Every structure is written in structure tokens, then in C-alpha cells.
Amino acid sequence: MARVALAPLILLAGGCAWDGPMSSITSASDFSRAILHVYAIITWATAIIGLIVFVALAYILVRFRARPDAPPPSQVRGHTLLELGWTIGPALVLLMIAIPTIQVIFRTETTAAPQGALQVTVRGWQWWWEFRYPDLGVVTANELHLPVGRTVVLHLEGPDVIHSFWVPHLGGKRDVVPGRNNRIVLTPDRAGEHWGQCAEFCGASHANMGMRVITEPAAEFDAWVTRQKADPVEPSGLAADGKAVFAKSACVGCHTIAGVSAGGLGPNLSHFGGRATLAAGMWPNTPDNVAAWVRDPQRLKPGAKMPELGLTEDQAKALAAYLTGLK
Ligand code: CUA
């Protein structure tokens, strides 16, 4: 019985990992650090106020409890000092919270970025993320790489509906609105893997619109850029069959693979095999998962814009071998 009662508690506590990949109380940038600073002030202020209130309440409950032959307590009405006290006190508390909050809102809303900041265009599509590095000539999807210590300007663009870019380790949510140039300026300050999620309901697969951000030392970031710019290696064996399947199926209409196809509606697949996850963070990027995905995207990701391709199991396996080989 006790074990049954404990089970939900354990499940609940399991969500409390301090430094989980989507924890909003772990920081990996100046933006999230500024938010955590305000969060700490509010948490401490409310904890101290709560403590004072509960201690006073406990004391009053015991000290002034009803006794059998006690006379009625004295009644207080229109006490100017009390009235002033409980008006000014909360006003001071609100002021104490408002000043750092407003400071941080203005600081994190600023669009000024230093010379040499990395420029990244973020496009929220139904239901995946596109990341373009115009100065580096790199286009990728669902996995954003950023160098530690360099300021980045994320230009948020919405080609279809409203989404919201949210990577808790890196900072607060910001809406991705068609026709509006929203920006986030931040500097990652430690290496790591950070998970993100679309935070604005955007249709059937809103919940399946995840992303990963990899913050890494500058040298590793440069090596990643070099890999992204390299031409895909020519496949052989099963992967070569997969390339043929790709070239004569509907894939080419939507996906770009450098030197093979140029479609602008789906994720760029030139270096698909170098990403750790598939379909906007839904599964690990393994040949088996890719084969299952290309055979039945509509069942695996409701509403996905990728149509049923009518591939046989062998074709799907070959295609998966080709795609996962594109490092
Ligand atoms: Cu995109 Cu929710």
C-alpha cells in the first residue's frame, strides 16, 4: 500500500532534476542568467515573507485561542498606523521585485549586438526548426550549433504560423511571428547540450516541434562549420541504392541535399546523418528509425507536411542508409 502511494511521488520528484536538459533553473547564457537573477530575488523574498506570515500565524493561533471563560477580545477599527503599514509594506515588496524585473526586461529586449556577432536566422516551420548562418553559408535544421563566448543574434522568422522559440538553458521564450522581426541576442557561456521546444500552439504536431542546441568551444564549432560546408561523400552499396530512391521519389521536391536536389519546403538534408535526432527531436537518428519514418511519416508525426511516399521496406532501408551516411 505504502509503495503504491509512493509511486506517484517518485514520478513527480523525477521531474525535479536540477540540471535536466530542459531545466529552466540551469543557465548556459547571459540571457538566462539575468532571468535566474530575478527568479532568485522573487523566490527569496516570497520565502522570507511566507516564513514570517506562518510563524506569526502559528503564534497568534496559540496565544489568542478561545478559552472557556475569556472575555471577548478588544475590537480594532480605523487604526491609521495599521492601515498605512499594510499598504506601504506590500508596495515596498512589489517595488523590490519590479525594479530588477524591469531592468532585466529592458536588458534582454535590447537588439544591440557587438561587431562580429554571429548572425543566425531561425525559421519556425510546421513542425520543425530551420537554422541559417548567412555569413557562413550553412543551413541546417533542428540542431543549432553555437560557439561558447561569442555573442549570437537570432533573427526569428515565421514562414507559416506563429511559433515560439524556447530553449530554457539559454533564456526566455520569444514568439516567432510571421511578418515581424523578433530577435534574441545572447552569449552562451558554457559548453553543453540544451533542449528546446516550440512554446506556442501551432497545430497538430506542436508538441513534436523540439530542437537541440549544442554550445561548444570555438574550435569545435569551426570544425562543425567545415563539415557542414563540405560536399557530401558519394555513397556506395546500399546507400547508393538509397540515393537512387531519393532522386526518383517525391523527396527531391521539398528537401535540399547539396549537389543532388534543391527544395526549400523541408529540412535541408545535406548533412542529415551528422544530427543526433530525427523529425525535430522525436527519436534518435538511427537507420531503423529513419526507415520507419520515411515509410509512415503521417502516422508517426500527426499532420506532418511530409507525404506518404509509398516506399517498400527495402527502399526505405536503402534510403535510411543513404541519409544517415550524410555526415
Ligand atoms: Cu511551432 Cu508550436
Side-chain angles (χ1 to χ4, degrees), residues 212-258:
R212 295 163 69 247
V213 180
I214 291 97
T215 52
E216 57 202 352
E220 282 174 37
F221 175 76
D222 292 343
W224 176 80
V225 170
T226 306
R227 282 200 301 281
Q228 299 302 302
K229 294 177 72 119
D231 288 331
V233 276
E234 200 49 41
S236 58
L238 184 63
D241 299 344
K243 185 178 178 183
V245 173
F246 182 89
K248 65 175 196 285
S249 72
C251 311
V252 290
C254 298
H255 293 284
T256 293
I257 292 181

Side-chain angles (χ1 to χ4, degrees), residues 54-119:
F54 284 115
V55 167
L57 187 64
Y59 172 77
I60 290 163
L61 283 174
V62 174
R63 176 73 179 73
F64 300 103
R65 69 185 184 279
R67 291 187 173 87
D69 47 357
S74 67
Q75 303 295 306
V76 179
R77 280 206 183 81
H79 194 293
T80 313
L81 200 63
L82 273 180
E83 302 273 359
L84 280 174
W86 64 51
T87 305
I88 293 173
L92 285 176
V93 172
L94 289 181
L95 196 68
M96 197 175 83
I97 292 171
I99 290 172
T101 304
I102 292 167
Q103 278 177 334
V104 165
I105 288 174
F106 276 92
R107 198 174 351 137
T108 55
E109 284 288 327
T110 179
T111 51
Q115 284 281 317
L118 180 64
Q119 308 288 327

Side-chain angles (χ1 to χ4, degrees), residues 2-3 13-14 19 21 39 50 54 62 65 105 133 139 160 172 175 279 321 325:
R3 256 183 279 175
D19 57 354
Y39 185 59
F54 284 115
V62 174
R65 69 185 184 279
I105 288 174
Y133 301 70
V139 180
D160 44 36
D175 279 2

Side-chain angles (χ1 to χ4, degrees), residues 119-176:
Q119 308 288 327
V120 179
T121 302
V122 175
R123 287 194 182 146
W125 293 85
Q126 286 174 315
W127 289 273
W128 58 283
W129 297 94
E130 180 176 4
F131 302 115
R132 308 181 79 95
Y133 301 70
D135 301 337
L136 302 174
V138 168
V139 180
T140 186
N142 302 322
E143 285 190 16
L144 174 65
H145 283 247
L146 296 175
V148 171
R150 184 171 169 196
T151 301
V152 57
V153 186
L154 303 172
H155 302 263
L156 308 179
E157 291 183 359
D160 44 36
V161 301
I162 300 177
H163 305 271
S164 181
F165 181 88
W166 185 41
V167 183
H169 283 186
L170 295 181
K173 299 166 184 169
R174 192 147 300 166
D175 279 2
V176 180

Side-chain angles (χ1 to χ4, degrees), residues 163 198 200-202 206 209:
H163 305 271
C198 178
E200 181 77 52
F201 181 71
C202 55
H206 156 69
M209 192 172 165

